[in-house]
Amino acid sequence: MGKIIYTSPFVPPEWIAAHGFEPLRLVPGTASGLEGPVKSNEGVCPFLRLFVNAAVAESGAAGLVLATSCDQMRHARDVLDGAGTVPSFLLHLPSAWQTPTAHGLYGSEVRRLGRFLETLGGAAPSRDRLSDVMDRYDRDRCVAATGSAAAPAMSPGQRSVAVALLGGPLTAEDRGIGALVVRYGGRVVLDATEEGERCRPARFDRRRMWADPLGVLTEAYYGFIPDVFLRPNGELFRWVQRETQARAVRGVILLRQVWCDKWHAEVHRFREWLKVPLLDVDLDGEVAGERTRTRIQAFLESLR
Amino acid sequence: MSDGPRQLTLAEWDGRFVRGEMAGHPQPSYGGPPGRHLKDGDLRLGKLLYDDSPAALDLWNFLLTEEDRLRRDRAMGRKIVGAMKDLGTVPVMAYSLPGVTAFYPDGAWWTPCLMEFSSGVLGVADALGVDESFCPVRAMLGAFAAGSHFPAPDLLVCSVGATCDDFSAIAQRVNGLGHPVLWWEIPHRRRPEAGEESVPLPGGFACPREQVAFVQSELVRVKSAVEGLAGELLTEEGLRAGIREANRVRSILRELRRMVFTAEVCPLPALELLIAEMLAIHFCSDRAESWKVLSSLLAVVRGRVERGKGYFGRNAVKVFWINPVADLRAMNLLEQCGGRICGTDYMFCHALDGIPGDLPPMEALARMALADPMVGSARERAARICDDIALFGAEAVVISRIQGASHCAMEGEILSGMIGAATGLPVVELEVPPVCDAVLPSLRTRLRALIETAGGRRKS
């Protein structure tokens, strides 16, 4: 049936898979993301550019799902509409999350995504089909719970410094930051970037999953994942504070795409909330340069 | 010697007062020589050119005394609602209750311009980690932290969702400063899909019924909060009356715009028209007075049009301007380069559209909120602009990028491409910083090139 490409952690891959597609949470990179409908204009988020361009270049792409948690992603839909490439869907993620109507809107948007998938040839899943897929994903996530792409396996030496990575989405090039941490004497004990454990959904409520799978699915994503775009976003701060303390984190590296206002604006607040030093690293879509490498090295040295 | 209007400097305006030339014009309570605002720190006023009518002076005095009037309202016991981002919806509701005044803290956007950076609000924002990579609306954060530019609102509400990231991020920081925000969701406006009921919106857009119902439910939450603040319920009839009053103001503005854009000779400079349009969003904190001010201005414009008098001559190139400028001086500059304004989208067109009077009032407000050009696709916004260009006969288009604004990076290219292709008109993008003096030569060059190009097309 082809791939449905997405990047937002609030897009449930179970829903896509249950419609018969292969959900692909694309990690974009410069290999295929430099050229395409999104140009390298001043102010354009490097992640967004690489993601959209790589998505339309992905072989077997049947559709692309964008989410409104980022304003530029919202406008990327316009670029795609004009380019006439891969069919795209814009999922509205309510920012004001504390009301039942916001949760209802998210559920409604997920159902609308289902209708979009049907227009691409997908089949609306039965309850059993969706439950089966959810069950499989839930078990797979449990197995993979300790892994992290940005936090590579390492031998946790006695003297290595426990570090947390925090922030938004990362490109393939940005993922090299985890290796830099290890190289300079640290170990990543918490990956709170968008692809890390912070953005994993809740375990599905198995008592209700077989009776109301879609309800359980949407509850596990929206209202559970703490994110910077939610208003208010205090849950994110509480989550990071709790997890960093529980893992005896000695320093936090905040990774943000260079024009990302939502993460950038919160750097100051994180410094106030956290009891440990924070290094603010802005990412430009390229492999970390000398400046970034030196900053990370100095940061880790200062924590020893 | 022409008996038409002539733009004045601030010193010339003050001279009129000194010579007693304003004695025949009854001054409102906030009236007076405009130079006092410069003495109070609004340094930019000394570099602007002004329309010479007493009505325009009232407009300026009304705008520049807003802070004082808000403090007076607070002292009188009126409750103050700080509405953020929706630009036109929440104030209609708030002013429907007799003891409530609403304003937009977003207006601090212009503080760095007006005070030529002397206010310190950007420095405060810098110190809070919100630096120049953000849109100038970061001045609002500095203003809240400094606590000296407007009274702290009794209730602060902010629309989020399909809004720019800068604003959402900065409003969250305001919340973190101890100003609790009531967040309400405005979803990305989308076109109805197969099987969904389509609902028409002011301004010509449409959206599914489901979105209207959702926004209405969000506005009901805001209404409850405003009622709690006011200590009284807002009845359906009360809200209907509030909508009628808002529509009175909006209808004047629509007529003002129509006359200014279509007159053979420009009857009102761009700067005054921009200020007038801004009154639509929250009535500059006094709904009744804003109606009076705009009515007087409309009378002046009507008189000039009838007499065929105005500014910049008959050959001024008609320009459609997109997005507000961070530095008001840019509007003077356009005219000095041979242009005149003939159509605008300052990001709040929905505040100029009539609010449907034949619907349940909360639904009418929800439809209006969803008509915001910024909450839908840039393609829809461009389509509306193209319609207005055709209606008013613009010959060139300026897209004014906002420094650091998250939406401009993606949106500018879409607007430029679509409008250029659909209309065939020359389009330029400019970036206007809060004080544009340093880039004035470059702005002037770009505007002149645009005007020349548009003028050349006339000949051909």
Side-chain angles (χ1 to χ4, degrees):
Chain A
M1 291 284 285
K3 300 171 191 166
I4 298 295
I5 299 171
Y6 69 102
T7 180
S8 168
F10 290 87
V11 175
E14 298 87 344
W15 188 234
I16 295 169
H19 279 78
F21 291 95
E22 177 191 344
L24 173 61
R25 192 168 180 199
L26 184 69
V27 178
T30 53
S32 60
L34 291 177
E35 301 297 328
V38 179
K39 307 289 185 294
S40 176
N41 289 341
E42 184 188 344
V44 171
C45 168
F47 178 88
L48 174 138
R49 178 168 66 100
L50 295 177
F51 171 73
V52 174
N53 291 344
V56 299
E58 178 73 25
S59 104
L64 173 58
V65 182
L66 304 167
T68 60
S69 47
C70 156
D71 196 36
Q72 290 204 359
M73 278 288 180
R74 185 165 76 92
H75 287 300
R77 174 76 193 285
D78 285 322
V79 176
L80 286 166
D81 276 356
T85 51
V86 181
S88 62
F89 179 87
L90 183 63
L91 182 83
H92 184 82
L93 289 173
S95 297
W97 62 279
Q98 292 179 306
T99 62
T101 48
H103 290 253
L105 179 58
Y106 175 70
S108 167
E109 285 292 283
V110 170
R111 284 191 295 277
R112 198 167 63 84
L113 169 61
R115 294 197 292 275
F116 168 73
L117 296 173
E118 287 171 42
T119 66
L120 299 180
S126 65
R127 244 183 349 202
D128 285 350
R129 160 92 175 140
L130 178 57
S131 303
D132 284 341
V133 173
M134 287 168 61
D135 183 47
R136 178 159 52 86
Y137 272 74
D138 201 37
R139 289 176 196 280
D140 288 350
R141 267 195 295 268
C142 280
V143 172
T146 53
S148 161
M154 66 207 75
S155 54
Q158 287 288 318
R159 298 184 57 192
S160 62
V161 177
V163 167
L165 299 182
L166 171 64
L170 302 180
T171 66
E173 284 74 16
D174 300 333
R175 287 178 162 203
I177 299 279
L180 284 179
V181 169
V182 174
R183 186 199 300 177
Y184 296 130
R187 67 182 192 280
V188 178
V189 297
L190 172 64
D191 181 358
T193 66
E194 202 164 281
E195 288 167 46
E197 60 190 279
R198 174 176 64 80
C199 291
R200 289 185 189 136
R203 292 293 312 272
F204 296 136
D205 181 348
R206 288 172 176 276
R207 288 165 304 176
R208 293 171 46 227
M209 189 169 82
W210 304 97
D212 178 20
L214 187 55
V216 169
L217 181 73
T218 55
E219 281 171 19
Y221 281 85
Y222 189 73
F224 181 80
I225 299 173
D227 206 281
V228 74
F229 80 92
L230 296 166
R231 295 291 175 265
N233 62 13
E235 294 301 316
L236 170 66
F237 287 80
R238 282 183 277 280
W239 188 93
V240 173
Q241 192 178 52
R242 186 180 67 235
E243 294 299 325
T244 52
Q245 286 174 357
R247 297 171 207 214
V249 165
R250 291 174 54 199
V252 173
I253 300 177
L254 191 149
L255 304 170
R256 60 178 173 84
Q257 301 298 321
V258 66
W259 302 109
C260 180
D261 296 323
K262 284 178 175 159
W263 279 103
H264 188 184
E266 300 298 1
V267 171
H268 190 273
R269 260 175 94 207
F270 271 114
R271 287 203 167 107
E272 289 175 346
W273 271 71
L274 296 171
K275 309 288 184 207
V276 296
L278 180 145
L279 180 72
D280 172 28
V281 175
D282 57 359
L283 307 163
D284 59 6
E286 306 286 337
V287 174
E290 191 59 40
R291 179 172 162 273
T292 300
R293 289 201 297 271
T294 306
R295 292 184 72 221
I296 291 172
Q297 184 179 24
F299 182 65
L300 286 161
E301 271 181 37
S302 69
L303 294 176
R304 279 201 200 114
Chain B
M1 182 85 179
S2 164
D3 60 347
R6 181 179 71 86
Q7 281 180 297
L8 303 178
T9 64
L10 198 72
E12 286 174 316
W13 254 124
D14 279 354
R16 286 188 169 191
F17 274 88
V18 170
R19 292 190 298 274
E21 291 171 22
M22 295 299 291
H25 177 68
Q27 290 294 311
S29 59
Y30 49 83
R36 66 201 158 117
H37 304 299
L38 184 135
K39 287 178 190 147
D40 286 346
D42 290 338
L43 305 175
R44 200 63 177 159
L45 299 178
K47 299 195 176 70
L48 304 178
L49 292 173
Y50 303 88
D51 179 71
D52 67 356
S53 67
L57 178 62
D58 287 348
L59 176 74
W60 279 102
N61 277 327
F62 186 49
L63 173 79
L64 296 167
T65 56
E66 182 177 17
E67 204 179 300
D68 297 335
R69 291 185 287 104
L70 280 170
R71 293 189 195 288
R72 184 202 62 195
D73 282 1
R74 161 66 52 77
M76 289 167 59
R78 290 179 67 84
K79 300 295 184 187
I80 296 180
V81 173
M84 295 196 287
K85 194 64 194 114
D86 66 276
L87 300 181
T89 304
V90 169
V92 174
M93 185 191 294
Y95 281 99
S96 300
L97 283 163
V100 180
T101 297
F103 80 107
Y104 281 95
D106 321 23
W109 203 76
W110 267 297
T111 303
C113 162
L114 281 171
M115 301 185 75
E116 294 192 338
F117 297 127
S118 65
S119 68
V121 288
L122 293 185
V124 176
D126 281 339
L128 291 168
V130 177
D131 61 22
E132 69 281 354
S133 68
F134 290 82
C135 153
V137 82
R138 69 194 181 101
M140 179 180 77
L141 178 66
F144 268 105
S148 55
H149 289 272
F150 43 72
D154 299 301
L155 171 67
L156 197 52
V157 299
C158 182
S159 63
V160 283
T163 60
C164 55
D165 285 349
D166 304 74
F167 201 96
S168 175
I170 289 164
Q172 175 66 64
R173 293 297 307 278
V174 168
N175 185 82
L177 291 178
H179 301 279
V181 174
L182 170 66
W183 307 99
W184 64 279
E185 184 76 16
I186 182 80
H188 175 82
R189 184 185 62 241
R190 61 178 176 83
R191 290 187 188 139
E193 294 170 358
E196 287 188 310
E197 183 189 350
S198 177
V199 175
L201 303 175
F205 301 128
C207 75
R209 166 71 63 192
E210 180 188 47
Q211 287 198 312
V212 175
F214 174 80
V215 172
Q216 189 174 333
S217 73
E218 288 295 276
L219 289 173
V220 166
R221 289 199 298 120
V222 177
K223 176 171 167 278
S224 297
V226 176
E227 288 172 334
L229 178 70
E232 64 179 298
L233 293 176
L234 175 54
T235 63
E236 188 165 314
E237 192 41 51
L239 184 53
R240 275 190 200 284
I243 288 174
R244 277 196 299 274
E245 290 303 310
N247 277 340
R248 285 178 75 209
V249 171
R250 291 171 181 220
S251 70
I252 292 180
L253 278 165
R254 287 199 300 279
E255 178 63 0
L256 188 65
R257 280 162 50 93
R258 188 193 66 77
M259 294 194 91
V260 171
F261 298 156
T262 58
E264 202 170 336
V265 182
C266 177
L268 189 71
L271 196 45
E272 278 74 16
L273 188 62
L274 166 64
I275 305 298
E277 288 195 25
M278 281 161 50
L279 263 52
I281 63 173
H282 71 279
F283 316 113
C284 204
S285 300
D286 186 336
R287 192 179 59 191
E289 191 62 28
S290 70
W291 185 84
K292 282 189 202 167
V293 168
L294 292 171
S295 298
S296 301
L297 199 62
L298 180 61
V300 168
V301 166
R302 189 170 280 135
R304 286 174 181 170
V305 171
E306 283 168 5
R307 288 182 286 118
K309 301 295 181 187
Y311 293 97
F312 321 126
R314 289 175 198 281
N315 287 326
V317 167
K318 297 177 173 180
V319 175
F320 195 102
W321 195 285
I322 300 171
N323 294 338
V325 283
D327 186 351
L328 298 171
R329 192 176 179 186
M331 306 315 290
N332 282 162
L333 182 65
L334 169 76
E335 293 160 344
Q336 288 160 349
C337 291
R340 61 176 275 202
I341 288 292
C342 179
T344 59
D345 175 343
Y346 293 135
M347 297 177 17
F348 53 82
C349 300
H350 59 303
L352 303 169
D353 294 325
I355 307 168
D358 55 348
L359 294 172
M362 289 302 287
E363 182 183 338
L365 286 188
R367 289 200 196 191
M368 197 200 99
L370 279 160
D372 182 340
M374 303 302 289
V375 309
S377 79
R379 292 184 173 274
E380 284 192 343
R381 187 182 180 202
R384 178 173 178 166
I385 289 168
C386 289
D387 288 347
D388 280 357
I389 286 171
L391 183 66
F392 298 126
E395 300 167 285
V397 180
V398 172
I399 301 175
S400 175
R401 286 170 61 108
I402 300 166
Q403 204 173 30
S406 64
H407 57 94
C408 284
M410 299 291 291
E411 197 188 38
E413 191 171 315
I414 297 164
L415 293 177
S416 160
M418 268 195 71
I419 295 168
T423 65
L425 298 182
V427 182
V428 293
E429 282 194 67
L430 309 170
E431 184 164 292
V432 181
V435 173
C436 70
D437 298 358
V439 295
L440 216 49
S442 135
L443 290 177
R444 187 179 290 118
T445 303
R446 290 180 72 77
L447 285 172
R448 278 186 179 156
L450 178 76
I451 302 296
E452 275 180 38
T453 306
R457 287 161 51 91
R458 277 184 190 167
K459 288 167 194 155
S460 62

